[in-house]
């Protein structure tokens, strides 16, 4: 299948090809109210302006719902459901197609092009959803195994429950920020001498500030309290996917996490990319995840095991002195559990999900050092420095470090389905 | 100080004396839009109607903000800040006072009395806040100790971090329900034979469904991301307190919680009482909590150690056959950490809080059996049956059991500051 061509100029290699059409929330210096847009090439199409100027004149099904494009989040659009997302995406693709059946909508409408097509450089992106609840899973089995070996040795590296259920914990929804937001190094309690008999913590800026390379999936469908979502219906509840960096304070975590799990170590900030790639756009890139050699309970068994995504992921670290190094290259298929499995497990007790809820995948790592999605793994918890370009090295993040995650599906430079980037820069801790 | 008398008929022993004035969200069969009210005696004062009929004519400071009383949650009222809550509560007390300076507002205004004073029996209460994030702490040291002894023996009963920081975990905001909402027994993964070498879970209705007697505190002030709330300012961020029952699936929890903490075991439902008692109303009942024999870091040190509350708490269990037994009598002072300490610790890394966020205290237990706030403790994880009236007994909850938590401050029957009740009844699990 040769890729769809567009009359609109989309640079080769753009993450936002006509095959993609990701959704986000934007504002501009002259129009500061956040609203819905899609990204295409180097531009955003402002869907509020597009809708107000009869952009959807040839798509009657969306017309009663056009107010969703004036909302400051994607929650209302998402709540319209997967069939509507699909129809809207396909319509926008057809509007941009070389041989569009609706040239008058945009192709030959230079007035609307001027109003609605905004260079990405000139817009601001915002958090795409009002996030009601955020859950972070631990489905990156290579990460779980490597960390398990580090702390418990190879025999007990994975806990007995690991292959039976997608382990997860409730995260802090209010701490999620959009790509580009600076991340302040947290202060907290750390144990200066963890092996001492007497455990006496000190108050200190985090000394083991780390990244976690993850995917995030947004929920688009509510289930009532007490009513689980069957695995066969879970995909209908998933809107789309973003890149995620679950910044983690390893030293704070080590001291606080027994027995109720990570808390302050994870609640100071989690970054996500601004453009949400629809589940529909990812459909052609479905693939098998990591093999589970354990028989799982029926409520988690998927008909189609191609439920992970083939997304090439990359992490770049740029130091304050300007040296930039690719520290991680891996693939999103490195997950033991799929998002439908996570979602079904989440609701099996009757937990109610809402449109806008965010599910994190857990840290995605391959098996070799350069494929690992955290510095904890790469530096073996501080033992081995990670070499950077320009002769620099890191065991954990330093102030001024800027971390950029990118992710992209496909190899046809005219049909990439990419996520853009998820970037954050470390600011020094507050002084007390 | 003799208690304030009222011209309005408030039954002796009412939790909602003129000394209280708790806030909540109500609707009625003829006016279904949820709005703000206070409870007084056996009545609610509908503040939307009260405001619309010049009820606040003698309180000019609230007049520009009266729209908050028409909101379906207390979030906007709470966001006005502690000084405003204080002024509004005092004004309402003065309106109800025997010798009110404003008789024309309500005392002699029988038309408004008819419209705005609604019998509690005839109204419906709703969740008082739109809860952005919910965090559950573990500050009930007796509970933590008793459970620790059960699972790890007396030497390591409390983890090394326990007395240095308020241990907590992020909970599931969407699962919080108002008193009266039925709770469906969850299904999930449980380990039928936990001591077997090979751990193979089964799918089953929870067999160890439990209660957790807790307090919940609502946040009224936002802190920006990256900016902690100093301990001296934490009280200004606390709106008020409710009773809370953190229903817990002990068997699901035992299997799932390693290493990231409780998840499905806690996300199927948490009940809170409908009327939020303002921090101001609790001020006279401040007392010392449990003593901490460990030196804590300065950021957690309070000037005034009277930062817990003297609240008499009680749990009643009514079985399907109608037998009702008081299974727990204890006091809210059984906490090692105060809400200001929990809030400050929560934000020390820079975690942003919002008005409407909920902080749970952790299970409140005394040291003797009849003072314990969970069946896990009382039955020693199922070993010893708890005797109920009518010859019945329980190790954990059975279908049809109704659990009612009550809490009250003070002993003067004309000046109680009470919480009403937090009630929930167990429905059978869904069949698969
Ligand atoms: Ca994570
Ligand atoms: Ca609890
Ligand atoms: Mg995080
Ligand atoms: Mg709960
Ligand atoms: Ni419709």
């Amino acid at each position: 299948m040769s890729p769809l061509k567009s009359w609109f100029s989309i640079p080769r290699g753009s993450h936002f090809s006509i095959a993609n059409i990701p959704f986000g929330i934007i504002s501009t210096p002259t129009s500061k109210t956040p609203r819905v847009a899609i990204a295409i090439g180097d531009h955003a199409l402002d869907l509020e302006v597009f809708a107000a100027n009869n952009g959807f004149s040839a798509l009657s099904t969306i017309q009663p719902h056009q107010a969703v494009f004036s909302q400051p989040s994607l929650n209302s659009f998402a709540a319209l459901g997967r069939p509507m997302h699909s129809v809207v995406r396909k319509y926008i693709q057809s509007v941009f197609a070389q041989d569009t059946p609706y040239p008058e909508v945009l192709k030959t409408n230079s007035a609307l092009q001027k109003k609605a097509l905004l260079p990405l450089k000139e817009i601001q992106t915002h958090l795409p959803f009002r996030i009601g609840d955020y859950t972070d899973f631990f489905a990156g089995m290579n990460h779980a195994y490597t960390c398990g070996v580090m702390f418990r040795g190879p025999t007990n590296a994975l806990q007995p429950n690991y292959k039976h259920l997608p382990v997860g914990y409730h995260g802090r929804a209010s701490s999620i920020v959009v790509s580009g937001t600076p991340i302040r190094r947290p202060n907290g309690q750390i144990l200066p001498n963890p092996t001492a008999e007497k455990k006496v913590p000190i108050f200190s800026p985090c000394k083991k500030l780390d990244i976690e390379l993850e995917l995030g999936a947004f929920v688009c469908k509510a289930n009532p309290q007490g009513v689980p979502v069957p695995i066969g219906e879970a995909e209908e509840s998933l809107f789309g996917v973003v890149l995620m960096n679950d910044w983690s304070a390893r030293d704070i975590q080590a001291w606080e996490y027994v027995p109720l799990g990570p808390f302050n170590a994870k609640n100071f900030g989690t970054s996500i990319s601004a453009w949400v790639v629809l589940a529909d756009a990812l459909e052609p890139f479905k693939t098998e995840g990591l093999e589970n050699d354990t028989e799982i309970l029926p409520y988690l068994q998927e008909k189609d095991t191609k439920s992970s995504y083939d997304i090439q992921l990359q992490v770049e670290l740029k130091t304050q002195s300007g040296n930039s190094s690719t520290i991680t290259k891996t693939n999103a298929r490195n997950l033991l559990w799929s998002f439908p499995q996570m979602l079904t497990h989440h609701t099996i007790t009757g937990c109610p999900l809402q449109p806008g809820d965010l599910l994190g995948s857990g840290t995605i790592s391959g098996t070799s050092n350069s494929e690992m999605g955290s510095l904890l793994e790469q530096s073996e918890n501080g033992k081995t420095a990670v070499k950077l370009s320009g002769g620099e090295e890191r065991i954990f993040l330093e102030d001024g470090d800027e971390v950029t995650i990118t992710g992209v599906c496909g190899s046809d430079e005219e049909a990439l389905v990419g996520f853009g980037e998820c970037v954050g820069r470390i600011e020094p801790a507050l002084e007390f």
Side-chain angles (χ1 to χ4, degrees), chain A:
Chain A
M1 198 177 73
S2 75
L4 210 55
K5 302 268 179 206
S6 180
W7 54 261
F8 186 59
S9 166
I10 301 170
R12 268 183 74 83
S14 170
H15 279 199
F16 307 136
S17 75
I18 193 169
N20 193 349
I21 317 290
F23 281 71
I25 298 294
I26 65 156
S27 67
T28 53
T30 54
S31 179
K32 293 189 201 298
T33 308
R35 61 221 182 247
V36 174
I38 59 100
I40 184 148
D42 288 342
H43 288 75
L45 177 69
D46 181 332
L47 291 187
E48 184 182 33
V49 169
F50 184 71
N53 290 271
N54 301 313
F56 288 107
S57 53
L59 186 68
S60 59
T61 51
I62 192 67
Q63 285 164 16
H65 308 290
Q66 292 193 65
V68 300
F69 299 124
S70 304
Q71 297 294 310
S73 75
L74 294 173
N75 294 61
S76 301
F77 174 61
L80 297 178
R82 288 280 307 264
M84 188 66 93
H85 314 153
S86 180
V87 158
V88 170
R89 171 170 167 269
K90 281 188 187 137
Y91 176 74
I92 294 173
Q93 286 179 320
S94 76
V95 165
F96 279 101
Q98 184 72 58
D99 53 352
T100 174
Y102 323 113
E104 71 290 354
V105 167
L106 198 63
K107 186 178 181 181
T108 62
N109 186 344
S110 62
L112 185 54
Q113 286 183 31
K114 219 173 213 169
K115 277 194 276 193
L117 278 165
L118 312 167
L120 290 177
K121 273 186 227 158
E122 293 171 19
I123 61 160
Q124 191 181 345
T125 49
H126 301 266
L127 207 56
F129 278 91
R130 181 171 32 76
I131 301 168
D133 277 289
Y134 153 54
T135 298
D136 197 18
F137 286 89
F138 192 47
M141 185 167 68
N142 298 323
H143 169 78
Y145 180 79
T146 304
C147 297
V149 170
M150 218 179 294
F151 296 117
R152 285 181 303 274
T155 320
N156 303 305
L158 295 179
Q159 302 285 354
N161 58 17
Y162 190 82
K163 292 180 177 176
H164 290 280
L165 55 81
V167 169
Y169 66 100
H170 301 120
R172 178 79 196 178
S174 73
S175 71
I176 305 211
V177 296
V178 72
S179 176
T181 309
I183 298 293
R184 181 173 283 173
R185 179 184 300 274
N187 286 289
Q189 291 195 21
I190 65 176
L191 210 52
N193 190 354
T195 55
E197 173 102 13
K198 197 164 175 315
K199 313 285 186 210
V200 183
I202 58 168
F203 184 79
S204 166
C206 168
K207 294 174 182 173
K208 292 187 171 182
L209 186 55
D210 200 359
I211 58 167
E212 292 195 336
L213 165 61
E214 305 197 25
L215 294 186
F218 279 104
V219 172
C220 59
K221 195 171 173 179
N223 65 298
Q225 196 149 5
V227 184
V229 178
I231 187 77
E233 295 171 24
E235 282 201 282
E236 286 303 300
S237 295
L238 290 164
F239 177 77
V241 176
V242 289
L243 304 171
M244 188 169 119
N245 187 346
D246 180 21
W247 307 93
S248 297
R250 301 296 178 197
D251 41 7
I252 294 173
Q253 185 174 353
W255 171 235
E256 76 174 359
Y257 92 107
V258 177
L260 300 182
F263 179 55
N264 275 347
K266 301 278 193 174
N267 68 16
F268 57 94
T270 297
S271 304
I272 61 171
S273 52
W275 296 101
V276 188
V277 178
L278 294 187
D280 265 29
L282 293 170
E283 199 62 31
F285 305 100
K286 275 185 164 176
T287 185
E288 308 229 343
L290 297 176
E291 202 199 324
N292 195 338
D293 54 17
T294 298
E295 192 179 332
I296 58 174
L297 285 163
Y299 80 94
L300 288 172
Q301 288 173 15
E302 298 177 287
K303 259 197 192 141
D304 183 358
T305 55
K306 289 196 172 180
S307 55
S308 282
Y309 296 119
D310 179 5
I311 308 171
Q312 304 142 56
L313 298 166
Q314 192 160 314
V315 182
E316 254 186 56
L317 197 162
K318 188 169 144 193
T319 67
Q320 189 133 35
S321 47
N323 290 314
S324 194
S325 316
T326 300
I327 58 171
T328 308
K329 277 188 181 189
T330 185
N331 191 292
R333 58 168 38 145
N334 285 302
L335 294 171
L336 186 67
W337 302 99
S338 68
F339 282 120
Q341 288 175 315
M342 295 181 220
L343 187 138
T344 289
H345 180 67
H346 202 320
T347 64
I348 192 64
T349 45
C351 180
L353 305 185
Q354 303 286 344
D357 288 347
L358 178 64
L359 310 180
S361 63
T363 308
I364 299 171
S365 290
T367 49
S368 78
N369 223 49
S370 63
E371 296 173 320
M372 289 170 173
S374 71
L375 290 169
L376 176 69
E377 292 162 272
Q378 291 200 18
S379 76
E380 294 172 84
N381 195 14
K383 279 194 205 123
T384 326
V386 179
K387 306 281 175 211
L388 306 180
S389 67
E392 293 191 86
E393 52 180 43
R394 285 291 177 277
I395 52 171
F396 289 103
L397 295 174
E398 296 188 5
D399 292 347
D401 284 354
E402 185 177 87
V403 178
T404 303
I405 299 176
T406 51
V408 66
C409 299
S411 54
D412 180 337
E413 297 270 300
E414 285 178 23
L416 297 180
V417 173
F419 292 78
E421 58 182 32
C422 175
V423 54
R425 189 168 177 278
I426 304 303
E427 293 187 337
L430 272 189
E431 283 182 43
F432 273 78

